[in-house]
């Protein structure tokens, strides 16, 4: 009974956006509504400051903040909301992709002036492929920006979404008068005073009422009536089922900085956003309501205090009740483990908890047993699917710069890879180690952390690789596969899990290789089935 009730009141989601669109500001305003923080400015931005790519203190600062903001939980009208942080910086995109495996829905923030930007496109594509329900929030309406209809068009075209506005702006920038809330049928007038937490709302059940003209002026009222008519003509009315299936995306307009349109977004969110959803494992679909606990690791944070080799593994609870000090099976190692001090996350602090429910995230202290993607159960042998590795974009040989510290280097590399900072490939030909990353920044992060946390020094050497492709032979003993192994030997490597990978040096090579060996399938994602 209690399990069902707790599941029903949980909403776990992520906010995605291109850097600077307003993710941090919106998060902060949502927390203010939940009473989880008292003042603006309490949530620190986790972005890497511009031009800070070689400033290691900046990297550490960012890491420190991202522990504090990894999970922000608060209560709003009896609903327990968990916001999972997603780094906007493209060099940390892989982190964000993994976090998206642990959310049940997302809010996409778009800057009204900049429209759809590169990172938004990539992240929305991942959500679309997984049918994750999305709500769009168009931010910075207090500034001059694109015409609302034009922007809705752009969102449909570039992001491949089917939108339906649930609110609509009255004017914009200098002329921004407020928002008509189509969902609640009322008007919210813009005062431009960010200290006003809750704006005054005025019920408008009949758009033809002269009160509207008095409130926003005749011209704006006339335009609004026309625009709303147009909306009814162009866009399908909101349908909750379609939204939950990822087939329709409601849109809200507002200004996070001015705390405007945020309450409307939140009220609608708690009403329509999905509670924790079932998740596919390699053996079956697991439902949150099942009695037995299960969950998976989607993020690992390591060594915040270099004096203690301590890591925090973030586990999303998929089913059952997680209990402190109960023995759970770590499926990959087939070992039972107990956790005496699991952390639950609140706005900005973490606390030890005795029980947690599906949708919640628990932070488990770990001395090096966990890898991203690991599954915990009460004994069932199964593995949650859906945490893929993508081909890195940058590749370099990593060399040991201090032969006296070989062990430290190996341990450091091993742990950083488990944490998901980068991927390691070992060449079949000569055992040399290659590091692959999503962004150039990671090489510096690795070098810095190896030195400061493990006392090891490394150097890099360039390597011409375009993409890493995971290999799926149709027939292991087939002649074609044998020939492929012989001819391409120089370009073959094993990833950290021992899977065979082909390191293609150009898109041309990749294409030619695939043509020559059609029975050897090459995949740019590790989890291709
Ligand atoms: P991010 O997490 O998505 O990267 O964005 P963040 O919230 O940090 O916002 C980026 C910038 O946009 C910030 O300004 C923030 O104040 C501003 N901003 C956010 N929402 C609104 C809005 O509704 N209207 C306007 N006009 N600006 C908005 P900054 O100058 O880069 O930083 P700060 O010094 O203000 O913190």
């Amino acid at each position: 009974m209690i399990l069902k009730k707790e599941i029903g009141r949980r909403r776990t989601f992520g906010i995605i956006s291109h850097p600077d669109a307003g993710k941090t500001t919106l998060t902060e305003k949502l927390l203010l509504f939940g009473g989880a923080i008292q003042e603006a400015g309490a949530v620190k931005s986790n972005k890497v400051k511009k031009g800070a790519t070689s400033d290691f203190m900046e990297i550490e600062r960012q890491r420190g903040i991202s522990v504090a903001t990894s999970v922000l939980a608060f209560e709003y009208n009896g609903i327990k909301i968990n916001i999972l942080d997603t780094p906007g910086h493209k060099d940390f995109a892989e982190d964000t992709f993994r976090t998206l495996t642990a959310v049940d829905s997302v809010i996409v923030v778009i800057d009204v002036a900049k429209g759809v930007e590169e990172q938004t496109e990539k992240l929305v594509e991942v959500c679309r492929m997984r049918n994750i329900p999305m709500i769009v929030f168009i931010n910075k309406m207090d500034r001059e920006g694109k015409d609302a209809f034009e922007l809705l068009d752009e969102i449909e075209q570039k992001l491949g979404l089917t939108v339906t506005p649930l609110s609509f702006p009255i004017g914009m920038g200098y002329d921004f008068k407020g928002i008509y809330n189509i969902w609640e049928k009322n008007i919210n007038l813009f005062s431009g005073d960010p200290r006003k937490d809750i704006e005054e709302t005025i019920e408008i059940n009949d758009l033809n009422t002269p009160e509207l003209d008095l409130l926003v002026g005749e011209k704006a009222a006339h335009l609004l009536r026309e625009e709303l008519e147009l909306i009814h003509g162009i866009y399908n009315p909101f349908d909750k089922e379609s939204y939950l299936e990822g087939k329709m995306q409601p849109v809200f307009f507002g200004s996070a900085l001015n705390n405007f349109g945020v309450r409307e977004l939140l009220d609608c969110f708690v009403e329509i956003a999905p509670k924790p959803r079932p998740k596919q494992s390699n053996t079956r679909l697991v439902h949150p309501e099942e009695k037995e606990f299960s969950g998976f690791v989607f993020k690992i944070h390591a060594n915040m205090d270099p004096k203690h080799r301590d890591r925090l593994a973030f586990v999303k609870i998929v089913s059952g009740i997680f209990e402190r000090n109960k023995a759970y099976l770590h499926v990959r190692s087939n070992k039972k483990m107990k956790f005496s001090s699991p952390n639950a996350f609140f706005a900005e602090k973490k606390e030890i908890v005795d029980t947690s429910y599906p949708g919640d995230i628990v932070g488990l202290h770990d001395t090096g047993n966990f890898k991203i993607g690991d599954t915990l159960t009460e004994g069932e042998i199964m593995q949650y699917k859906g945490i893929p590795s993508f081909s890195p974009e940058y590749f370099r040989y990593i060399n040991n710069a201090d032969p006296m510290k070989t062990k430290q280097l190996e341990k450091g590399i091993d742990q950083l890879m488990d944490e998901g900072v980068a991927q390691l490939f070992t060449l079949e030909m000569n055992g040399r180690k290659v590091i692959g990353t999503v962004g150039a920044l990671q090489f510096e992060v690795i070098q810095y952390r190896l030195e400061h946390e493990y006392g090891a020094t490394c150097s890099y050497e360039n390597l011409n690789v375009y993409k890493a492709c995971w290999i799926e032979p149709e027939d292991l003993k087939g002649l074609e596969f044998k020939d492929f192994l012989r001819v391409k030997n120089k370009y073959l490597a094993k990833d950290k899990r021992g899977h065979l990978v082909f390191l293609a040096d150009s898109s041309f090579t990749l294409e030619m290789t695939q043509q020559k060996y059609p029975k050897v399938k090459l995949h740019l994602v590790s989890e291709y089935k």
Side-chain angles (χ1 to χ4, degrees), residues 17-25 47 139-140 142-143 255-257:
S17 71
H18 193 88
D20 276 346
K23 182 168 70 77
T24 313
T25 315
K47 57 192 159 182
N139 191 27
K140 307 196 184 179
D142 56 311
R143 285 202 186 154
S255 166
L257 187 65

Side-chain angles (χ1 to χ4, degrees), residues 139-384:
N139 191 27
K140 307 196 184 179
M141 290 308 297
D142 56 311
R143 285 202 186 154
E144 292 302 323
K146 299 189 180 188
D147 168 73
F149 284 105
E150 202 182 298
L151 201 50
L152 292 172
D153 255 7
E154 186 179 325
I155 292 169
E156 292 209 321
Q157 302 294 329
K158 283 199 181 163
L159 299 179
L161 303 183
T162 306
V163 300
T164 185
L166 285 188
S167 79
F168 208 73
I170 308 168
M172 166 197 302
Y174 188 71
D175 277 333
F176 184 51
K177 298 210 163 48
I179 276 167
Y180 180 72
N181 190 329
I182 301 173
W183 174 248
E184 291 174 358
K185 291 203 171 31
N186 58 34
I187 274 194
N188 203 341
L189 291 178
F190 182 60
S191 67
D193 181 357
R195 282 164 306 174
K196 273 173 93 178
D197 269 9
I198 296 173
E199 303 282 331
E200 196 188 343
T201 48
I202 301 148
E203 296 277 329
I204 300 275
N205 286 315
D206 175 12
L207 275 171
N208 290 320
T209 168
E211 200 191 344
L212 185 64
D213 301 71
L214 290 175
L215 286 171
V216 299
E218 234 173 79
K219 209 171 131 203
H222 181 67
L223 186 64
L224 178 67
R225 289 185 187 108
E226 268 182 16
E227 286 175 330
L228 289 174
E229 207 164 301
L230 207 57
I231 288 172
H232 291 310
I234 304 176
Y235 301 102
N236 284 329
F238 176 70
D239 173 52
K240 190 168 162 187
E241 276 317 302
S242 305
Y243 155 71
L244 291 175
E245 287 167 9
K247 292 183 183 144
M248 173 182 270
Q249 291 77 24
V251 179
F252 284 86
F253 292 81
S255 166
L257 187 65
N258 292 289
N259 206 354
F260 192 77
V262 179
R263 186 192 58 79
E264 288 78 355
L265 174 73
L266 183 58
D267 282 345
C268 178
F269 173 83
V270 293
E271 206 173 318
I272 67 171
K275 58 184 192 191
R277 307 210 289 176
K279 192 165 174 73
Q280 188 67 42
S281 78
N282 61 345
T283 55
R284 65 191 186 86
L285 188 67
V286 182
H287 292 270
E289 295 81 8
E290 291 180 21
K291 230 174 78 228
E292 300 208 331
F293 157 78
S294 68
F296 66 97
V297 178
F298 66 94
K299 181 180 185 128
I300 293 176
H301 245 290
N303 299 344
M304 283 317 294
D305 178 358
K307 281 191 239 91
H308 302 103
R309 275 279 153 73
D310 190 19
R311 316 204 296 178
L312 200 59
F314 291 77
V315 174
K316 159 93 186 268
I317 300 174
V318 178
S319 67
I321 302 177
F322 175 90
E323 288 173 60
R324 184 160 84 98
N325 279 328
K326 188 167 171 180
Y328 292 119
L329 178 69
H330 179 245
V331 178
R332 186 171 50 81
S333 67
N334 199 25
K335 275 194 204 138
K336 287 266 184 176
M337 291 179 180
K338 271 186 191 173
F339 304 97
S340 59
S341 51
N343 286 137
F345 301 88
F346 298 97
E348 290 201 288
K349 51 184 195 295
K350 47 186 174 48
E351 274 173 15
I352 293 176
V353 278
D354 290 326
T355 47
S356 292
Y357 297 91
D360 284 341
I361 311 299
V362 281
L364 304 179
H365 291 278
D366 167 48
T367 46
N369 294 311
F370 286 125
K371 274 187 193 180
I372 283 177
D374 282 356
T375 301
L376 287 172
T377 68
E378 288 199 17
E380 186 174 346
I381 310 287
M382 66 168 180
Q383 182 71 37
Y384 279 111

Side-chain angles (χ1 to χ4, degrees), residues 50-67:
K50 291 180 194 86
T53 41
S54 54
D55 181 349
F56 303 114
M57 288 324 290
E58 179 58 24
I59 291 167
E60 285 301 277
R61 184 195 71 92
Q62 195 269 342
R63 237 162 44 88
I65 288 168
S66 59
V67 166

